[in-house]
Amino acid sequence: MTLEQARAALRSARRVAVLTGAGVSAESGIPTFRDAQTGHWSRFRPEDLASPEAYRRDPETVWQWYAGRYRDVSRAQPNEAHHLLARLERGKGEGFFLATQNVDGLHARAGSERLVELHGNLSTARCEACGTVAPLPDPEAFTPPPSCPVCGSRMRPNIVWFGEFLPELALEAAARAFEEAEVALIVGTSGQVYPAAGLALETRRAGGMVIEVNPDETELTPYMNCSVRDVASRGLAALMGEG
Ligand code: NAD
Ligand code: ZN
């Protein structure tokens, strides 16, 4: 399918579901997992920090990593891709749904509201004893670990770690939205992390159209009706008829 046809399909669709991954925030200067392998934390594999076992073994190192990421994303700004998706939502209204695998909070800061954060959020913590979720203090003043405002116990990062289940209601809502979508957009995700990656396949299976925006080929490319090979901001602008 040509870009022109993909653009027409997106324009006329009443139900649109979007899945985003780390690539949508790359232009905000937030490293994807692949980029992170060359950076400061390159001596750690994400699986070795973002897991319940890692946290049990060494909560201090895990909290330091998350406190650093929280500080980094607080200093970052949403980019044009986040803004274009917020604009697409305003155009589609109730027929729009956005599921993100990102934990950086940039979609919400750009104004997205019909949004689920499938993997949690860096700006909140969850009580290990009573489950209370509370916002972290200002990132520049924050020294981990935080303690629970209700019961005083230690809190953990409010992130879905490797080997943990996704929030059930959020995942169900996403699955429904992708199944009902006439058009699904898959932006900046390598498609390696399930069940999020499976959402694209729900749309395809139900007869909808699936469009990917990613500079590189991904695991999901074989299932796409159209692949826009560009960074998120330019790819979305091209699809939304503004590029
Ligand atoms: P990933 O790192 O596995 O893949 C990133 C994808 O983005 C790649 O396919 C890459 O080709 C593409 N990409 C790179 N630059 C891009 C750009 N400018 N525009 C569009 N696409 C671009 O990330 P993933 O698929 O999201 O899955 C990994 C997991 O990492 C997720 O569970 C997520 O929670 C976590 N993660 C989140 C963040 C964040 O919150 N910003 C950052 C790193 C990792
Ligand atoms: Zn508590």
Side-chain angles (χ1 to χ4, degrees), residues 186-203:
I186 313 297
V187 187
T189 178
S190 61
Q192 289 165 348
V193 181
Y194 278 78
L199 292 171
L201 309 182
E202 301 265 355
T203 303

Side-chain angles (χ1 to χ4, degrees), residues 10 26 33 38 47 50 69-70 108 124 127 130 168 172 175 195 203 238:
L10 179 60
F33 270 178
T38 59
E47 299 87 323
R69 291 181 68 199
Y70 171 47
T124 55
C127 177
C130 75
E168 199 174 343
E172 273 170 19
T203 303

Side-chain angles (χ1 to χ4, degrees), residues 109-225:
R109 282 171 56 196
S112 289
E113 289 174 359
R114 297 174 190 280
L115 164 71
V116 300
E117 295 174 313
L118 294 171
H119 293 171
N121 193 304
L122 287 170
S123 66
T124 55
R126 189 167 80 235
C127 177
E128 290 174 38
C130 75
T132 296
V133 171
L136 291 176
D138 184 79
E140 310 297 338
F142 172 50
T143 318
S147 34
C148 177
V150 175
C151 75
S153 302
R154 188 177 68 178
M155 300 180 93
R156 57 164 273 179
N158 189 26
I159 299 283
V160 178
W161 282 329
F162 289 98
E164 295 187 319
F165 292 109
L166 270 63
E168 199 174 343
L169 290 178
L171 191 60
E172 273 170 19
R176 205 173 322 117
F178 276 78
E179 200 184 317
E180 291 173 352
E182 291 152 62
V183 173
L185 299 180
I186 313 297
V187 187
T189 178
S190 61
Q192 289 165 348
V193 181
Y194 278 78
L199 292 171
L201 309 182
E202 301 265 355
T203 303
R204 192 71 209 254
R205 201 177 302 130
M209 184 178 298
V210 193
I211 304 167
E212 163 182 75
V213 179
N214 198 307
D216 292 327
E217 205 167 294
T218 72
E219 308 270 320
L220 296 171
T221 299
Y223 306 100
M224 295 295 137
N225 297 94

Side-chain angles (χ1 to χ4, degrees), residues 21-23 26 30-33 101-104 119 188-190 214-216 231-232:
I30 297 172
T32 63
F33 270 178
Q101 299 168 87
N102 293 345
V103 293
D104 55 36
H119 293 171
T189 178
S190 61
N214 198 307
D216 292 327
V231 295

